[in-house]
């Protein structure tokens, strides 16, 4: 007797585990959100913001070695008193804006004070006065009665430390004159 071979069919049933499915969906959504946030932060820090570490004594006591600065690279307005980072002679520098385009900058040696447009400029952040050799390499225009007129597209910047120990001086606009705004990397918006 011949047996009729029956084909055996395997049957699988789908087990619907809603808890597992919703957990996977939540994980996928969380990963997507994290990736979008990371990409957004990366884009912001390459186009809008940047950070830099302070190296030097020219901005003491406002800034010290190792301070980190967050800069706004675009969309800022420059004002007197702003801290900026700029590139000069292949190096990043941090200084404070004392004069804007059109301002007349002068140093009055009789009272040892900077004047902007004929008015004494108050600098509460400067400590310790001026070193003996601070003005040894200064541009002469800042001492004349007419002063130095800041050209369009330029600013006048100074380091806050005017009396660096060991006789060092801040290399800034009192030595090389007005700085072109094209060299500015960004405006300091946070110190940490």
């Amino acid at each position: 007797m011949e047996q009729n071979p029956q084909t055996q069919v395997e049957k699988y049933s789908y087990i619907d585990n809603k808890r597992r499915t919703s957990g996977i969906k939540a994980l996928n959504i969380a990963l997507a959100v994290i990736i979008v946030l990371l990409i957004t932060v990366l884009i912001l820090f390459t186009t809008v913001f940047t950070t830099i570490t302070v190296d030097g004594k020219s901005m003491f006591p406002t800034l010290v070695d190792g301070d980190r600065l967050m800069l706004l690279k675009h969309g800022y307005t420059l004002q007197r008193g702003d801290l900026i980072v700029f590139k000069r002679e292949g190096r990043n520098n941090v200084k404070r804006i004392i004069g804007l385009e059109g301002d007349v900058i002068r140093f009055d040696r009789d009272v040892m004070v900077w004047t902007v447009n004929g008015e004494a400029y108050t600098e509460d952040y400067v400590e310790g006065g001026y070193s003996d050799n601070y003005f040894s390499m200064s541009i002469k225009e800042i001492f004349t009665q007419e002063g130095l007129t800041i050209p369009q597209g330029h600013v006048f910047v100074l380091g806050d430390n005017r009396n660096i120990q060991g006789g060092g001086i801040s290399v800034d606009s009192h030595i090389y004159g007005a700085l072109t705004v094209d060299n500015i990397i960004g405006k300091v918006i946070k110190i940490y």
Side-chain angles (χ1 to χ4, degrees), residues 168-187:
I169 57 173
S170 176
V171 178
D172 51 35
S173 289
H174 88 281
I175 294 174
Y176 52 72
L179 170 77
T180 177
V181 295
D182 294 338
N183 290 347
I184 297 176
I185 296 169
K187 177 178 172 176

Side-chain angles (χ1 to χ4, degrees), residues 13-186:
S13 61
Y14 176 72
I15 300 171
D16 188 16
N17 185 340
K18 290 183 180 184
R19 177 184 261 172
R20 184 174 176 219
T21 305
S22 64
I24 290 172
K25 284 181 183 178
L27 180 61
N28 285 340
I29 291 171
L31 287 174
V33 168
I34 290 171
I35 290 170
V36 168
L37 284 174
L38 288 174
I39 290 171
T40 302
V41 168
L42 181 65
I43 289 170
L44 286 175
F45 270 91
T46 56
T47 59
V48 179
F49 301 105
T50 191
T51 59
I52 192 167
T53 303
V54 174
D55 177 25
K57 301 174 184 174
S58 71
M59 289 300 294
F60 182 81
T62 307
L63 303 173
V64 296
D65 274 338
D67 279 353
R68 303 242 340 133
L69 309 176
M70 180 178 285
L71 310 177
L72 180 61
K73 292 168 65 173
H74 305 286
Y76 53 80
T77 321
L78 296 176
Q79 299 177 357
R80 213 171 282 110
D82 285 345
L83 298 179
I84 60 168
V85 176
F86 57 93
K87 185 77 90 179
R88 185 166 186 289
E89 296 182 353
R91 185 182 164 159
N92 292 338
N93 295 271
V94 181
K95 303 292 181 215
R96 186 180 301 274
I97 296 176
I98 302 300
L100 303 165
E101 60 183 40
D103 285 346
V104 178
I105 304 295
R106 187 172 165 275
F107 188 78
D108 187 337
R109 284 188 169 182
D110 294 334
V111 289
M112 298 297 284
V113 70
W114 289 94
T115 63
V116 179
N117 301 323
E119 302 278 328
Y121 187 71
T122 305
E123 298 181 288
D124 297 330
Y125 45 82
V126 174
E127 293 180 1
Y130 291 85
S131 64
D132 292 338
N133 63 336
Y134 184 81
F135 294 106
S136 62
M137 301 184 326
S138 294
I139 56 174
K140 304 301 178 226
E141 294 89 345
I142 61 174
F143 302 115
T144 65
Q145 198 60 30
E146 298 79 29
L148 172 70
T149 301
I150 309 303
Q152 186 172 354
H154 289 73
V155 290
F156 192 87
V157 296
L158 294 174
D160 289 357
N161 192 351
R162 314 285 165 79
N163 192 3
I164 299 174
Q165 291 179 350
I169 57 173
S170 176
V171 178
D172 51 35
S173 289
H174 88 281
I175 294 174
Y176 52 72
L179 170 77
T180 177
V181 295
D182 294 338
N183 290 347
I184 297 176
I185 296 169

